[in-house]
């Protein structure tokens, strides 16, 4: 096979993995702290809309990003209030957040911009541009390594690099800091954390807000980095693929990266394979689309390995009983 | 702590007052959103109500939407009584269309009253299978039913696109849809018998929906199995010690839940569209969650909540024609807020309401204090 085709498929893989990875790490913080989050999709969608709306009006990509982050973090806070303070059902809170985002973004979009829910096309200053890493052009002539550097690694927008940088940072936070230790503990045994004199509520809120932050980045990626404006339901279920990836990665940051790359690769492959045949047999595109979900179901059922989530996940913590 | 002496609410407050308070809050918040964008919330409400109940035509469509929501609502409720959260109503309702179309097309020249029960059985079988697998995985393999059903929604969507486009679509048609069912095999619309409904989409499946509600009521509260599933929902350890098979109950309940959700396909395929199209479920499965929460998992509550959401959907469709700029997504916002307030933020009103009731009734207060002293004494 020719290197150019492989590189362009892998290049698409990196781009398609980015929002998955950000959302997956987002879910990781929340779920490791014992708060199940099926509202990743909603927070991404809300952020994508807010970022595009503000970037369209101000023509400033950074203000757009800030707006996306603010909306996503606020939404996460609302979810936290329901799941942590009011001890409501975490799953239902997630469903509500998804629906709220789907409804409000379209509703406000139609009202504000009058384009059937889309935001106006963003100006150049309103979206993140691709960054050429140093020496990318000079090294492009070097066979293989140079090509990989200039075509695959260089030339993405900043959020792609942020996403992959977030993996070692998350690993470090989770396994090498006091906060990370407590975070993991509060998801496994909140009572022990409470007994040690650390506030379960505070820790869980911190985790949920970090989830909001990362979802905000993921959402902004859709509308002001990869795309150029917001479209109805533009996250298209990616929040649920991220959730699947999180389970597939057994709630660990480095496997999360590889899972997201795998799912991103499948996505890139199905775009490339529209109508194509492998080994003389037409593979339905839908089969590849369904593969991440299918793999997750199989893994969760323990047919290949075993995925066991944080023990205290899904249960609100009640002090003394 | 004060929380210890709070007494449970009287039943009427729990099933009537609290949902109404939460609904009111959802409406107020949505009203504020409408106000914030410079529109008149009362005019919007008026447009929704008129659009939903204004005349037979509007009310017919309201009932058509309600039919779907009764099915998905009771599907969520049946699972909820057994302590299971079936979030896969969308996928179950969607994939059940395969079963319905598979029998409706070959039998299309038979009278509808023969096709209809067979379509019901076929839809229930396929929808039930789509509920059974997550139930089986939960019962035997310990995978969380919520995650599995979410994944199954997406798997169903992929399968349906493949089946409709590659298998069911007749060669001559461009649109992704199956062949049409012959007029003989189509379910009559209620408008054919009650002219007031005109030619609206409400059809005989509504009666099936009401039957399902009655059936669910009998099943949940008046059968041995209903007792077992409610017991499982309350305390799985107790049912196990009582010698019941928890995994068997989980599998049966999830199958029933999927079969009920699958009835949406009957309504859509043989009652409205007369063919299998893509995305006909239109998130009815998620509306079912709101309906079940609002209706407190009781058939009567579900009926009322389904009509309420049917009215919101139909009224929302009309809203955009009456007030330019306000779109039907307003309804999705209201629905999300209902789920948020009745489902996830129940703690918002309940403690306060409990306090109010206790101060209002001295007898209750005395009882509560006594209950507390017994608790602390033991």
């Amino acid at each position: 096979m020719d290197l150019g085709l492989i590189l362009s498929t892998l290049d698409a893989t990196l781009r398609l993995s980015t929002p998955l990875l950000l959302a997956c790490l987002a879910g990781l913080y929340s779920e490791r702290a014992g708060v199940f989050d099926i509202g990743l999709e909603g927070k991404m969608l809300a952020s994508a809309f807010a970022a595009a709306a503000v970037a369209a009006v101000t023509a400033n990509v950074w203000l757009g990003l800030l707006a996306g982050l603010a909306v996503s973090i606020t939404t996460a806070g609302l979810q936290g209030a329901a799941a942590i303070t009011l001890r409501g059902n975490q799953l239902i809170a997630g469903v509500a957040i998804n629906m709220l985002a789907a409804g409000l973004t379209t509703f406000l979009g139609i009202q504000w911009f009058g384009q059937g829910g889309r935001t106006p096309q963003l100006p150049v200053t309103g979206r993140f541009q691709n960054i050429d890493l140093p020496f990318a052009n000079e090294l492009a002539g070097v066979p293989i390594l140079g090509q990989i550097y200039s075509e695959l690694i260089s030339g993405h927008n900043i959020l792609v690099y942020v996403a992959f940088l977030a993996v070692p940072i998350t690993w470090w936070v989770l396994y090498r800091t006091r906060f990370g230790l407590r975070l993991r503990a509060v998801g496994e045994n909140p009572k022990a954390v409470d007994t040690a004199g650390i506030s379960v509520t505070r820790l869980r809120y911190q985790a949920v807000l970090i989830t909001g932050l990362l979802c905000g980045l993921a959402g902004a990626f859709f509308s002001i980095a990869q795309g150029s404006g917001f479209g109805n339901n533009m996250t298209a279920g990616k929040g649920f693929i991220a959730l699947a990836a999180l389970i597939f990665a057994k709630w660990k940051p480095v496997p999360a990266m590889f899972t997201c790359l795998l799912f991103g690769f499948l996505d890139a492959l199905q775009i490339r394979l529209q109508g194509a045949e492998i080994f003389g047999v037409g593979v339905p595109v839908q089969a590849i689309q369904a593969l991440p979900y299918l793999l997750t179901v199989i893994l969760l059922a323990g047919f290949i390995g075993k995925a066991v989530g944080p023990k205290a996940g899904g249960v609100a913590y009640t002090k003394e009983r | 702590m004060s929380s210890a002496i709070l007494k449970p609410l009287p039943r009427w407050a729990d099933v009537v007052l609290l949902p109404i308070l939460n609904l009111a809050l959802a409406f107020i918040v949505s009203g504020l959103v409408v106000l914030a964008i410079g529109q008149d919330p009362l005019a919007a409400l008026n447009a929704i109500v008129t659009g939903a109940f204004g005349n037979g035509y509007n009310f017919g469509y309201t009932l058509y939407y309600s039919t779907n929501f009764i099915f998905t609502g009771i599907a969520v409720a049946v699972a909820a009584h057994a302590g299971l959260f079936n979030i896969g109503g969308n996928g179950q309702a969607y994939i059940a269309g395969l079963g319905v179309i598979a029998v409706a097309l070959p039998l299309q020249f038979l009278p509808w009253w023969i096709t209809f029960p067979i379509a019901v059985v076929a839809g229930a079988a396929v929808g039930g299978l789509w509920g059974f697998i997550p139930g089986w995985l939960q019962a035997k393999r310990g995978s969380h039913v919520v995650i599995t059903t979410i994944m199954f929604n997406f798997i169903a969507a992929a399968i349906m696109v493949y089946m409709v486009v590659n298998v069911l679509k007749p060669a001559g048609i461009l649109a992704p849809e199956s062949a049409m069912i012959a007029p003989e095999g189509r379910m009559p619309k209620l408008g054919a018998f009650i002219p007031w409904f005109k030619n609206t989409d409400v059809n005989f499946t509504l009666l099936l929906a009401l039957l399902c509600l009655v059936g669910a009521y009998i099943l949940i509260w008046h059968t041995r199995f209903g007792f077992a599933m409610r017991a499982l929902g309350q305390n799985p350890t107790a049912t196990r010690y009582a010698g019941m098979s928890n995994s068997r109950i989980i599998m049966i309940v999830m199958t029933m839940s999927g079969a009920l959700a699958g009835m949406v396909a009957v309504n859509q395929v043989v009652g409205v569209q007369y063919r299998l199209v893509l995305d006909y479920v239109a998130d009815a499965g998620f509306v079912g969650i709101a309906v079940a929460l609002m209706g407190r998992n009781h058939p009567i509550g579900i009926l009322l909540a389904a009509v309420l959401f049917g009215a919101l959907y139909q009224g929302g469709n009309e809203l955009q024609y009456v007030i330019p700029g306000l779109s039907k997504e307003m309804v999705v916002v209201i629905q999300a807020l209902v789920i948020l307030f009745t489902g996830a933020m129940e703690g918002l009103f309940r403690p306060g309401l409990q306090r109010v009731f206790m101060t209002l009734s001295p007898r209750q207060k005395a009882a509560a204090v006594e209950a507390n002293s017994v608790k602390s004494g033991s």
Side-chain angles (χ1 to χ4, degrees):
Chain A
M1 228 197 259
D2 100 86
L3 186 67
L5 186 69
I6 294 174
L7 282 181
S8 75
T9 309
L10 291 179
D11 193 55
T13 301
L14 282 187
R15 254 180 295 118
L16 292 166
S17 310
T18 298
L20 292 184
L21 183 53
L22 286 168
C24 187
L25 293 175
L28 191 144
Y29 281 96
S30 178
E31 303 217 341
R32 267 301 175 95
V35 181
F36 277 161
D37 190 356
I38 58 175
L40 298 172
E41 175 85 3
K43 289 193 282 290
M44 281 204 295
L45 195 62
S47 157
F49 175 73
V54 170
V57 173
T58 62
N60 185 329
V61 65
W62 294 103
L63 287 180
L65 180 66
L66 271 183
L69 293 180
V71 165
S72 176
I73 292 173
T74 311
T75 316
L78 178 70
Q79 207 178 344
I84 303 166
T85 306
L86 294 172
R87 297 193 201 106
N89 186 318
Q90 299 172 0
L91 299 166
I92 294 175
V95 171
I97 292 297
N98 289 338
M99 216 175 265
L100 194 62
L104 260 188
T105 52
T106 312
F107 178 72
L108 292 177
I110 290 175
Q111 175 70 25
W112 285 343
F113 301 106
Q115 298 181 9
R118 276 176 292 117
T119 59
Q121 187 85 11
L122 294 179
V124 176
T125 52
R127 48 183 302 219
F128 286 111
Q129 301 300 317
N130 292 341
I131 303 167
D132 279 325
L133 294 183
F135 309 114
N137 284 329
E138 289 79 347
L139 290 171
V142 181
I144 302 182
L145 279 182
Q147 276 175 301
I148 288 176
Y149 181 73
S150 70
E151 284 178 36
L152 185 60
I153 297 175
S154 167
H156 293 283
N157 65 65
I158 188 165
L159 291 181
V160 176
Y161 300 112
V162 169
F164 284 89
L165 209 62
V167 177
I169 294 175
T170 299
W171 180 87
W172 183 77
V173 167
L174 212 54
Y175 298 111
R176 289 291 181 273
T177 67
R178 186 187 302 196
F179 171 72
L181 177 68
R182 290 173 175 177
L183 193 77
R184 285 180 288 137
V186 86
E188 296 291 334
N189 191 345
K191 188 147 212 155
V193 175
D194 198 17
T195 315
I198 303 156
S199 164
V200 173
T201 308
R202 193 186 145 89
L203 260 173
R204 287 195 167 166
Y205 263 109
Q206 284 168 336
V208 165
L209 293 181
I210 295 175
T211 302
L213 176 82
L214 288 167
C215 278
L217 290 173
F221 177 83
F222 281 101
S223 63
I224 61 172
Q226 187 190 36
S228 165
F230 178 83
N232 282 340
N233 194 23
M234 84 180 306
T235 49
K238 290 282 188 293
F240 293 105
I241 298 206
L243 190 66
L246 180 61
I247 296 162
F248 207 84
K250 301 178 184 179
W251 294 266
K252 293 188 180 101
V254 177
M257 181 181 76
F258 288 114
T259 310
C260 289
L261 281 171
L262 171 70
F263 288 178
F265 176 70
L266 288 174
D267 206 6
L269 203 62
Q270 62 95 2
I271 295 169
R272 193 126 308 190
L273 282 181
Q274 303 274 359
E277 293 190 341
I278 310 177
F279 310 123
V281 190
V283 177
V285 177
Q286 289 83 18
I288 303 175
Q289 282 169 345
L291 201 56
Y293 307 113
L294 211 53
L295 285 175
T296 305
V297 169
I298 293 170
L299 179 83
L300 203 58
F303 292 118
I304 42 165
K306 188 90 191 130
V308 181
K311 272 197 201 70
V315 191
Y317 181 66
T318 316
K319 226 178 159 87
E320 72 191 83
R321 244 183 115 79
Chain B
M1 259 305 277
S2 64
S3 68
I5 55 163
L6 287 180
K7 215 171 138 345
L9 289 172
R11 195 167 152 69
W12 71 269
D14 195 22
V15 293
V16 180
L17 191 60
L18 206 53
I20 287 179
L21 273 177
N22 285 318
L23 185 69
L25 187 61
F27 270 102
I28 289 169
V29 174
S30 334
L32 290 177
V33 173
V34 173
L35 205 61
I37 60 171
Q39 298 270 18
D40 181 1
L42 288 178
L45 185 63
N46 188 30
I48 291 181
V49 172
T50 319
F53 299 107
N55 55 43
Y57 182 83
N58 294 348
F59 190 54
Y61 272 108
T62 293
L63 287 182
Y64 149 69
Y65 283 113
S66 308
T67 309
N68 286 342
F69 301 159
I70 290 174
F71 289 132
T72 52
I74 197 73
V76 173
V78 166
H81 276 291
L84 298 161
F85 185 24
N86 178 12
I87 198 169
N90 266 3
Q92 291 143 10
Y94 200 9
I95 201 111
L98 281 182
V100 175
I101 201 74
V103 299
L105 277 180
L107 301 177
Q108 56 181 332
F109 296 109
L110 295 175
W112 67 269
W113 46 268
I114 300 181
T115 320
F116 178 58
I118 301 175
V120 168
V121 171
V126 179
L129 175 73
W130 220 242
F132 166 78
I133 302 172
W136 173 72
L137 289 172
Q138 160 98 58
K140 299 288 186 189
R141 312 289 312 189
S143 33
H144 202 301
V145 80
V146 169
I147 303 291
T148 321
T149 48
I150 289 177
M151 300 301 139
F152 265 55
N153 283 343
F154 288 97
I155 297 172
I159 294 178
M160 290 302 279
V161 173
Y162 177 79
M163 288 303 286
V164 170
V165 173
N166 298 37
V167 180
L168 290 165
K169 186 167 77 74
I173 305 184
L174 279 178
E177 56 190 42
S178 76
M180 292 291 280
I181 301 169
E184 292 90 330
R186 300 176 185 176
M187 186 110 51
K189 297 191 165 173
L190 283 193
F193 302 90
I194 310 168
W196 188 61
F197 283 128
K198 304 217 175 70
N199 191 29
T200 51
D201 283 342
V202 61
N203 61 71
F204 262 79
T205 321
L206 176 62
L207 300 183
L208 174 71
L210 297 178
L211 265 177
C212 284
L213 286 179
V214 176
Y217 173 78
I218 296 171
L219 173 87
I220 296 169
W221 283 285
H222 292 281
T223 66
R224 190 185 286 250
F225 182 76
F227 176 77
M229 62 183 254
R230 281 183 294 130
L232 172 75
Q234 294 293 323
N235 189 342
T237 318
T239 46
R240 202 168 63 241
Y241 276 97
M244 302 175 194
S245 162
N246 285 0
S247 44
R248 187 173 150 267
I249 303 174
I250 290 172
M251 288 187 283
I252 295 176
V253 166
M254 280 306 290
T255 310
M256 286 196 299
S257 181
L260 286 166
M263 292 303 97
V264 171
V266 175
N267 188 29
Q268 295 287 33
V269 176
V270 289
V272 177
Q273 311 271 359
Y274 309 132
R275 62 194 193 280
L276 192 65
V277 297
L278 292 179
D279 293 327
Y280 61 80
V281 177
D283 276 351
F286 285 117
V287 185
I289 297 171
V291 167
L293 284 170
M294 189 70 211
R296 287 287 184 269
N297 293 328
H298 191 284
I300 294 173
I302 286 168
L303 176 66
L304 294 174
V307 173
L308 172 77
F309 279 99
L312 282 175
Y313 268 74
Q314 166 53 21
N317 285 338
E318 301 291 321
L319 175 67
Q320 49 201 344
Y321 302 111
V322 181
I323 306 177
L326 284 190
S327 58
K328 61 177 182 209
E329 278 73 21
M330 185 74 240
V331 171
V332 181
V333 175
I334 298 176
Q335 177 188 315
L337 291 170
V338 167
I339 294 185
L340 189 67
F341 293 137
T342 51
M345 289 191 158
E346 239 210 345
L348 209 55
F349 280 133
R350 191 181 285 276
L353 211 56
Q354 284 169 333
R355 245 170 238 124
V356 168
F357 269 91
M358 277 166 47
T359 43
L360 281 182
S361 139
R363 208 175 64 214
Q364 279 191 339
K365 187 167 186 176
V369 170
E370 192 187 355
N372 188 44
S373 63
V374 169
K375 197 181 269 175
S376 53
S378 63

